[in-house]
Each structure stands twice: as C-alpha cells, then as structure tokens.
Amino acid sequence: MSVETIFGIVLVVVAIVCGIYFAIKVNKKVKNDSKKIDWSKFNGKGQLKKHVPVLWPKELEFYYMFRSVLPKEFMIVPKMGVDEIVKPNGGNLVLFNAIKGKHVDFCVIKVSNMEPVAVLDTYYPSITDSTMKQLDAPVTKALSSVSIPVISYEILDIPYDKDKILKKFLEAIDPVTLAELKNKK
C-alpha cells in the first residue's frame, strides 16, 4: 500500500472517531440541559399557550349528557392519558412506549376505588371535522390487554337516547362491577 492510501485510511478513521465523540458530547448536553436550568428563575412567559377548548362543543354536550345518566358510583374524566390508565408490568415496554402521550376521549372510573372501568371513544361522522378520530390500534390493544372495554359513541346533532346509551355502557363493563352496582340499589 502506498503512503497516500494509508494516510487516507487514517484520516477517515480519525474523522469517524471525532464524529462519534462530538455526537456523544452533543447528546449529553441536550439530555442534561433541563437538569442545569434554575427553574425558580426561568421565564416561561410566551413559550406555552392554553389548550382551548379542552373539549369541543359537541364533546362537551355528550359529556354533560353521559354524566347525567351515569350512576353515582362512577365518574367520567375527559381527555385522560392512556399511560394513566395502564402501567408497564415489567419486561417488554414496546406497547407502553407506543401509547405514551396518547389520550382517550373519556374514561369512566369507579369512585369507590378509582379503578378505570371503561373508555368512551366518541366520533363525529362529518367529513369536514377530523378532530374526532378513532383510537389508535396500540391504544385499543393496550386497553383490551387489561380488560378495559372501549365503547364507541357517535356524537349526534339530534337528542340522544339516554336509556340506550346507559344500556350500552352497562353491558360493556365488567360483570363483577355490574353486579356490585345492582347490589347497591
């Protein structure tokens, strides 16, 4: 081999090593920036804004209607994070990582022990409104893996059949929870 070839190989190897070194250095700096910030002196003004509205008018209308028919043993929580409903159980985190940062439209919780019993997925069948879409496949898979039913409701422009909506919810929840509810009445 010629001296020029050896010099070229050495130069490429040095460039690769330097690139890796600087990449590691930059990665550490990016990851550790939030630890070095003095949050008591940090001015966050203008960097964030309120998420308004939290519920769209049709979702709010559904929320009030569903809350009115829901037995007092349950509460409904809008826009709940899926990672608050399910937690990792050790081992593989592929499914948990896929649902982090996702939320459900509504979660129904049993008041006595704060256990999630069902998720309500609302949709509005309008071509022009894409804000109300179905749950992602990983979210549905995560909820089914812990036996939390996903109940789909169509947001309507006409009055709701409250008895039909309540019946759909009661048929979907865990039979033990339903039996406990019937025993209290």
Side-chain angles (χ1 to χ4, degrees), residues 140-180:
T140 306
K141 180 60 98 175
L143 295 170
S144 71
S145 74
V146 292
S147 302
I148 295 178
V150 175
I151 310 165
S152 293
Y153 289 105
E154 180 179 353
I155 301 286
L156 302 173
D157 291 326
I158 57 175
Y160 292 98
D161 181 350
K162 293 180 179 183
D163 292 333
K164 186 177 176 182
I165 288 175
L166 179 60
K167 181 180 178 193
K168 187 174 181 179
F169 167 72
L170 294 174
E171 287 174 349
I173 64 175
D174 177 44
V176 174
T177 304
L178 185 59
E180 289 173 355

Side-chain angles (χ1 to χ4, degrees), residues 21-146:
Y21 173 77
F22 287 121
I24 291 171
K25 200 108 163 124
V26 167
N27 191 25
K28 282 184 181 177
K29 183 172 176 72
V30 168
K31 285 186 176 179
N32 292 331
D33 274 352
S34 63
K35 293 179 184 173
K36 294 179 183 175
I37 293 175
D38 182 1
W39 291 105
S40 64
K41 296 178 183 175
F42 184 81
N43 183 6
K45 208 73 158 151
Q47 294 186 16
L48 301 172
K49 66 179 185 175
K50 287 182 189 175
H51 182 204
V52 177
V54 172
L55 293 177
W56 293 101
K58 289 284 178 196
E59 289 176 306
L60 187 59
E61 182 181 303
F62 178 83
Y63 171 80
Y64 285 136
M65 180 280 308
F66 194 85
R67 189 179 69 178
S68 73
V69 299
L70 197 62
K72 68 180 183 338
E73 289 80 11
F74 300 101
M75 64 188 264
I76 182 172
V77 178
K79 304 295 182 191
M80 189 164 189
V82 181
D83 56 355
E84 294 298 320
I85 300 170
V86 298
K87 295 289 182 197
N89 193 18
N92 192 334
L93 296 177
V94 171
L95 183 56
F96 186 76
N97 288 337
I99 57 104
K100 274 178 34 180
K102 308 271 184 185
H103 72 276
V104 296
D105 294 332
F106 302 99
C107 183
V108 179
I109 297 173
K110 188 167 36 167
V111 175
S112 64
N113 62 359
M114 297 307 287
E115 174 189 355
V117 294
V119 163
L120 309 181
D121 182 32
T122 57
Y123 64 94
Y124 187 64
S126 169
I127 296 171
T128 58
D129 187 1
S130 62
T131 58
M132 297 167 124
K133 58 182 185 169
Q134 287 186 311
L135 291 175
D136 294 341
V139 172
T140 306
K141 180 60 98 175
L143 295 170
S144 71
S145 74
V146 292

